[in-house]
Amino acid sequence: MGRIAAPIRHRPFLLLRVESWAHPARFSLLLLVALATAGPASAGHLVNDTSLLLRDGPIVIPGAVTNRGSLEVRGTRADVRGPVTNLGLFRVTNAEVHFDAAFANHGGYVSDPSDNYFNDLVIGPTGYLVGGAGDRFFVSGDLVSASTNNTSWSTEQAALIFHTGGDAQHSLSLTGTDFGPLPSGAIQNFAWGRLEIAAGNSLTLVDGNATSGGALYAGEVVGAQLAGSSVTNIAGAAGLAIYYDPALGPNVYLGGATYDLAAGGVLAPLSAPAVPLLGPLARVVLFLGILATALHPALRRRGFGAASSSLQPGMDPPSQYPGGNTP
């Protein structure tokens, strides 16, 4: 296992030495980071203002991390003991990262695909998360979000899992707009592919913005404890909703039903989009189409039908011009 040692300041580069505990005679990682815009670094506080790649670990960062540039953990396990403030781009690629303290995300956090373990995950108005199939976001504390960056946020195929940490009670901010039980409501709306609550844990939903009401569109909802028509381990509030896809296997236990959340709100199934009512113009177009279909045989008898419809096999079509001449 490696750890970030005291940084050595050396212009024009910042040399970070990652020591290997398993092989003390060699370095498992040597990072050269351009110092053109880098701020001063100190032992126990990693500050990145440019581009930083962490790999060839496992790696332990004992103190705080501030990222204002691009920081990537690739192909290894990394443990960050101190709080993290991300103002730039934080990437995790084919890796496993554990954040023991709070992670404040005001920029982009991109997982591809990886396991990400958070204590408290706090997301500011400009912050966003990106994850696809195979990406898992484990939260042992709370996920507090005030994000308005719905166009960059993309977790509709990723999993959000609440599990036991300091305690088993968690909060989740809803910043998605409630478009009703339509599958299209998940588009660019802070949706998740899977919401999972570990056994013995509970979740409280809170409104994440100043607009009253909100929704979480989650393909799968796993771990909801049911008692009749109620969910006992998810508390909500009036105007808050979680929508799930009843066609997905992990949701079979929900039976396609709607459930009341403790303290208000609902857990409800998505439904197929309703057929929209036709407007006046659409009704006119439909009427003309029906009329044309009804008149078609008569038009064909007057010579407007397809010429080939009256041909016998092997016959050539008659000329349209006297004497068989063409223009």
Side-chain angles (χ1 to χ4, degrees):
M1 181 178 294
R3 63 183 176 88
I4 296 288
I8 304 171
R9 188 80 174 270
H10 178 70
R11 295 185 182 274
F13 297 102
L14 175 66
L15 186 61
L16 295 180
R17 186 178 298 168
V18 178
E19 300 174 351
S20 171
W21 293 345
H23 304 283
R26 67 177 176 84
F27 296 124
S28 61
L29 175 64
L30 192 64
L31 297 174
L32 293 177
V33 183
L35 196 62
T37 58
S42 60
H45 188 185
L46 174 61
V47 179
N48 175 52
D49 285 329
T50 54
S51 181
L52 179 61
L53 174 63
L54 302 178
R55 64 180 184 182
D56 301 333
I59 296 168
V60 174
I61 301 176
V65 174
T66 298
N67 177 51
R68 294 188 289 257
S70 176
L71 192 158
E72 180 179 5
V73 178
R74 182 191 301 172
T76 189
R77 170 170 172 155
D79 291 79
V80 183
R81 304 301 189 205
V84 178
T85 300
N86 178 43
L87 301 167
L89 180 62
F90 200 115
R91 289 183 176 274
V92 183
T93 307
N94 294 315
E96 179 181 321
V97 291
H98 294 252
F99 302 102
D100 294 347
F103 190 109
N105 185 41
H106 301 280
Y109 186 99
V110 180
S111 178
D112 183 30
S114 297
D115 283 343
N116 311 272
Y117 291 83
F118 298 93
N119 187 340
D120 288 330
L121 175 55
V122 181
I123 303 175
T126 58
Y128 63 92
L129 304 177
V130 174
D135 286 298
R136 298 188 297 179
F137 292 74
F138 296 87
V139 178
S140 61
D142 302 324
L143 198 168
V144 180
S145 177
S147 178
T148 59
N149 198 349
N150 63 302
T151 56
S152 297
W153 189 297
S154 180
T155 53
E156 57 271 13
Q157 294 184 16
L160 174 61
I161 303 166
F162 288 93
H163 65 110
T164 303
D167 57 47
Q169 299 178 344
H170 315 280
S171 294
L172 171 62
S173 300
L174 301 190
T175 53
T177 301
D178 191 344
F179 293 107
L182 299 179
S184 60
I187 299 174
Q188 292 189 340
N189 198 24
F190 306 100
W192 287 87
R194 179 185 181 100
L195 171 65
E196 181 175 342
I197 305 170
N201 286 250
S202 62
L203 183 63
T204 298
L205 307 180
V206 296
D207 199 330
N209 52 42
T211 303
S212 180
L216 170 63
Y217 289 81
E220 301 172 359
V221 176
V222 177
Q225 297 177 359
L226 308 178
S229 61
S230 299
V231 178
T232 60
N233 63 336
I234 304 178
L240 299 182
I242 299 176
Y243 294 108
Y244 69 93
D245 187 344
L248 298 180
N251 295 332
V252 169
Y253 77 107
L254 297 173
T258 298
Y259 300 88
D260 294 323
L261 304 179
V266 295
L267 171 63
L270 294 173
S271 60
V275 177
L277 296 176
L278 296 178
L281 179 59
R283 289 197 294 268
V284 171
V285 173
L286 178 61
F287 171 76
L288 292 176
I290 296 173
L291 181 62
T293 301
L295 292 177
H296 181 69
L299 294 175
R300 187 170 57 200
R301 286 194 298 271
R302 294 171 182 263
F304 292 96
S308 60
S309 62
S310 60
L311 293 179
Q312 298 298 320
M315 293 181 61
D316 294 327
S319 173
Q320 300 180 21
Y321 300 93
N325 297 322
T326 59

